[in-house]
Amino acid sequence: MLRIKRLYTFMLQTFLPLFLMTFGICLFIVLMQFLWRYIDDMVGKGLGIPVLAEMFMYAALFLVPMALPLAILLASLMTFGNLGERLELLAMKSAGVSLIHIMRPLIVTLLFVSVGAFFFQNNVMPVVQVKLYTLLYSMRQKSPELDIPEGSFYKDIPGFNVYVKKKDPKDGLLKDVMIYDYSEGFNNARVIVADSGRLKTSADKLFLVLSLFNGESFENVGKSQANTTQARTAVPYRRESFSSKDILIEFDANFNRTDESFMQNQYMGKNLKDLQTSIDSMGVRLDSIKDVNAKSIYDASYVKTLKSLRAKKESEAEGQPDERQEKLPVITPTIQLDFDSLYLAQAASSQAALLGRAKSSIENIKTDYYFRAATVGDEAYKVRRHLTEWHKKFTVSFACIMFFFIGAPLGAIIRKGGLGVPVVISVILFIFYYIIDNMGFKMARDGVWDAWEGMWLSSVVLTPMGIFLTYKAVKDSVILNADTYVNALKNLIGKREGRKVERKEVIIYTPDYEATLPQLEKLVEESTTYLTNHKRWINYLTFWKQGGKDNTAELLAQDTENIVEELSNSDQNLLLNKLMDYPVIGGYNNKLSKHINGKLALAIGIFFPLGLPIYLLATYQRKLLRHDIVMVQKTSKELINMIYSLHLLKK
């Protein structure tokens, strides 16, 4: 029990520092991405350090749900990659501790992290989102700082265009100033030209005071007459010369915070309980709107009119029967109207009037339907946004567990630590997760899928990957070992691994050369027979009847291995070197032959689309097999001659 506790402590001491480090790195990266996205709303606004610090604090808390799963993935991958690279994981498994047992303390720790992530999403995130979005909206509404450039018009003062030819950097004096004042309308613009001027802000930062020196102003007079439709040959204007003139311009330079009550009533400012309450109330409202729209459409349609006429005819046919008399079945008359004949019977002017009335009625109905559809669409969108936010409270917590069961077994399989390979794999997996999650969110938001389908799409896609990787890691699979795939590719294209035979330092059993010679002669004979009877090409149907099996080649391979095993005990270097010329015969059995019989293989070859590619691949491997058997035949003959020439066989 003490050993297990030490193992748990060791795993926690290994994982937690890496988790804290990766969480800080991931949070910094996503925070920089957030800053790059909203940099235009902050630059040039004259915002103070406290406001920017508050914004960064809310942004960091807002991005925790995005950084947390990525940090868990990267930390778990690095932890188990380091253990595998330092052979510590191998030592634990050699001591009889399974991978699941090794992962147990981290699983328990991350369960607590997931529960904490849920409470963070439910209790902290609504407050953070309200304050962050309110602050961003207030920053967008903040007027930019005044920084009038030289040699170009400045348009950021509402109702004014200001041109300054040159600015004195010492005292801030503006030289050669030209101002277009269209605050009272473009037709009533006023033009002011001055030699110099100064611009300053009032004490309450609600007004700009523009002091101009040695200039003139031009403006229209008689504005009411100028705006009439009567043609005028000249418009009177007023010209004013001044040595000093002050202009007061409304310009709010303060940072005003927007009221948070509006954001608090949105989906982003509600916890799980409030979201459920809003979903229920909005669902009832949406159903009532749909019922009212359906009733209104029915009342305005011809179906109600026809049913009213039919009910009237039924009442007339039935009359007022005595209640004591037996009621007889009433046959409902069918109302048939020939609209074409009624229309053609009208005069041309009446037909035009009817068409005009019909067109006007259709346009009114179309406009009314568009309005009703927009109303229903807005209400349905609000419901969907509340539903997506409701599911989001749970998906982040599940993603933490899911990424651990992807990262931990993946690290145990690849056995690479540090910040190299784990970072690359983590980024690729997280980008894949983010794309799927964003796609599912948009599908749910737009009503293409149900909310639970879109929000849980990424979890459904990646959970099987975590289960598969955990299973392979527990079974010590080499699924991600690059050498496995390289050797398989070499075997496929014919570049097989060469045979290695080394001289033994201690030989216990000397080879029986006399008994080996008949085996070599038999191998030569069997190789010759195989090459004669087995051509490169084989009939397609015959191949699938055999199920891809080649028992003769398998026997040749077994006989070759027996001879190599026997002669590898020799102390003759020439003989040992010649044994390395024997190829490692492979590809004599198709992989399908181990799992299917001849009839099933024939059915696959006839009906399954992959039958032809498998046949062509087997034909190529058959060519490689014939080349290997030629080498077996040649090497066996050379061994026979070598044994006789070295006089190793006593006659």
Side-chain angles (χ1 to χ4, degrees), residues 441-633:
F441 166 72
K442 291 183 178 179
M443 291 289 189
R445 181 197 61 187
D446 298 336
V448 180
W449 293 346
D450 290 337
W452 67 270
E453 293 177 344
M455 296 305 295
W456 289 94
L457 176 65
S458 56
S459 300
V460 171
V461 171
L462 291 180
T463 298
M465 181 187 297
I467 297 174
F468 175 75
L469 290 175
T470 303
Y471 172 77
K472 288 297 183 179
V474 170
K475 298 296 182 180
D476 292 329
S477 174
V478 292
I479 184 173
L480 294 179
N481 190 348
D483 294 337
T484 303
Y485 299 100
V486 171
N487 293 334
L489 181 61
K490 288 182 178 180
N491 185 55
L492 182 64
I493 63 177
K495 293 185 178 180
R496 295 178 175 85
E497 184 180 0
R499 185 185 298 275
K500 295 181 180 180
V501 179
E502 297 180 355
R503 182 174 179 176
K504 298 179 180 179
E505 295 182 0
V506 178
I507 299 176
I508 300 177
Y509 299 104
T510 304
D512 187 354
Y513 297 107
E514 185 176 355
T516 305
L517 273 176
Q519 295 178 9
L520 289 171
E521 293 172 353
K522 179 183 176 182
L523 186 59
V524 171
E525 184 179 352
E526 290 176 350
S527 301
T528 304
T529 304
Y530 182 89
L531 294 173
T532 303
N533 297 334
H534 294 76
K535 303 299 181 182
R536 176 182 174 184
W537 295 96
I538 186 173
N539 185 273
Y540 182 80
L541 295 178
T542 304
F543 170 78
W544 282 108
K545 284 181 181 179
Q546 296 175 354
K549 297 178 181 177
D550 194 343
N551 296 326
T552 306
E554 186 175 1
L555 293 176
L556 279 172
Q558 186 62 42
D559 292 342
T560 303
E561 295 301 324
N562 292 336
I563 291 174
V564 172
E565 183 179 0
E566 176 68 21
L567 294 180
S568 61
N569 293 319
S570 175
D571 56 353
Q572 298 295 321
N573 292 330
L574 292 177
L575 198 62
L576 295 176
N577 292 335
K578 181 55 62 177
L579 288 178
M580 288 191 286
D581 291 342
Y582 273 122
V584 180
I585 300 178
Y588 47 81
N589 265 350
N590 191 282
K591 292 183 178 180
L592 292 176
S593 63
K594 299 180 180 179
H595 306 286
I596 59 177
N597 54 30
K599 294 182 179 180
L600 181 58
L602 182 61
I604 294 175
I606 295 175
F607 300 106
F608 199 65
L610 289 180
L612 182 60
I614 294 175
Y615 167 74
L616 294 177
L617 177 61
T619 303
Y620 175 72
Q621 291 181 342
R622 191 180 181 89
K623 173 187 175 182
L624 301 178
L625 177 61
R626 286 178 55 83
H627 177 269
D628 289 344
I629 293 179
V630 170
M631 289 299 301
V632 169
Q633 182 186 40

Side-chain angles (χ1 to χ4, degrees), residues 383-396:
V383 174
R384 292 195 300 269
R385 293 299 281 125
H386 279 71
L387 285 172
T388 54
E389 191 68 20
W390 189 92
H391 286 283
K392 193 176 180 180
K393 306 292 186 186
F394 300 94
T395 54
V396 174

Side-chain angles (χ1 to χ4, degrees), residues 75 135 193 205 216 233 264 273 347 395 473-474 499 501 526 581 613:
L135 189 58
V193 179
K205 294 186 178 182
E216 294 180 333
T233 58
Q264 288 175 348
K273 182 180 178 181
T395 54
V474 170
R499 185 185 298 275
V501 179
E526 290 176 350
D581 291 342

Side-chain angles (χ1 to χ4, degrees), residues 40-233:
D40 293 338
D41 299 327
M42 294 180 286
V43 173
K45 297 296 184 70
L47 300 172
I49 298 298
V51 176
L52 293 176
E54 183 181 1
M55 191 276 296
F56 276 109
M57 181 187 70
Y58 291 143
L61 294 174
F62 173 75
L63 295 172
V64 165
M66 180 181 291
L68 186 60
L70 178 58
I72 292 175
L73 173 63
L74 183 56
S76 57
L77 225 166
M78 291 177 62
T79 299
F80 284 85
N82 290 333
L83 293 177
E85 191 173 20
R86 297 195 298 259
L87 302 179
E88 293 172 339
L89 195 61
L90 179 61
M92 296 178 193
K93 292 181 178 180
S94 301
V97 183
S98 65
L99 181 63
I100 298 297
H101 208 142
I102 297 171
M103 295 166 56
R104 185 180 298 175
L106 304 185
I107 294 174
V108 175
T109 303
L110 290 177
L111 284 175
F112 284 104
V113 173
S114 300
V115 173
F118 168 75
F119 283 104
F120 182 87
Q121 280 284 102
N122 189 48
N123 300 323
V124 179
M125 278 300 290
V127 179
V128 170
Q129 290 185 123
V130 167
K131 291 188 176 296
L132 177 62
Y133 286 119
T134 303
L135 189 58
L136 287 175
Y137 180 79
S138 302
M139 292 168 61
R140 289 193 182 102
Q141 302 304 313
K142 171 72 168 63
S143 300
E145 279 191 317
L146 290 176
D147 186 13
I148 301 176
E150 294 181 353
S152 62
F153 281 94
Y154 184 73
K155 303 178 181 180
D156 288 339
I157 302 176
F160 290 84
N161 274 352
V162 181
Y163 175 85
V164 176
K165 187 175 182 180
K166 190 176 181 181
K167 293 192 300 184
D168 191 344
K170 296 181 180 179
D171 55 359
L173 184 66
L174 309 178
K175 298 180 179 180
D176 295 332
V177 181
M178 180 184 296
I179 301 172
Y180 285 89
D181 178 7
Y182 52 90
S183 58
E184 297 183 5
F186 185 77
N187 293 328
N188 302 319
R190 181 173 56 158
V191 181
I192 303 174
V193 179
D195 292 340
S196 60
R198 295 182 184 278
L199 184 65
K200 59 182 179 179
T201 308
S202 62
D204 55 2
K205 294 186 178 182
L206 296 178
F207 297 93
L208 293 177
V209 180
L210 184 58
S211 301
L212 301 176
F213 310 102
N214 300 326
E216 294 180 333
S217 67
F218 306 86
E219 64 177 318
N220 294 335
V221 296
K223 301 176 184 177
S224 59
Q225 291 85 353
N227 291 331
T228 60
T229 58
Q230 298 178 358
R232 302 183 62 90
T233 58

Side-chain angles (χ1 to χ4, degrees), residues 351-392:
Q351 291 179 357
L354 288 173
L355 291 176
R357 287 162 52 190
K359 181 180 179 181
S360 177
S361 178
I362 290 173
E363 289 179 350
N364 291 335
I365 293 174
K366 182 179 179 182
T367 303
D368 182 57
Y369 283 3
Y370 274 132
F371 176 76
R372 295 176 185 273
T375 304
V376 173
D378 292 341
E379 293 295 329
Y381 179 80
K382 293 178 182 178
V383 174
R384 292 195 300 269
R385 293 299 281 125
H386 279 71
L387 285 172
T388 54
E389 191 68 20
W390 189 92
H391 286 283
K392 193 176 180 180

Side-chain angles (χ1 to χ4, degrees), residues 273-310:
K273 182 180 178 181
D274 295 337
L275 285 171
Q276 188 62 52
T277 303
S278 300
I279 290 170
D280 294 339
S281 60
M282 286 189 296
V284 173
R285 173 179 168 81
L286 183 61
D287 293 339
S288 63
I289 292 175
K290 290 180 179 179
D291 292 340
V292 170
N293 290 343
K295 187 177 183 303
S296 176
I297 293 172
Y298 173 76
D299 291 340
S301 66
Y302 68 91
V303 177
K304 183 179 180 181
T305 304
L306 294 179
K307 285 190 175 182
S308 300
L309 292 174
R310 180 176 296 178

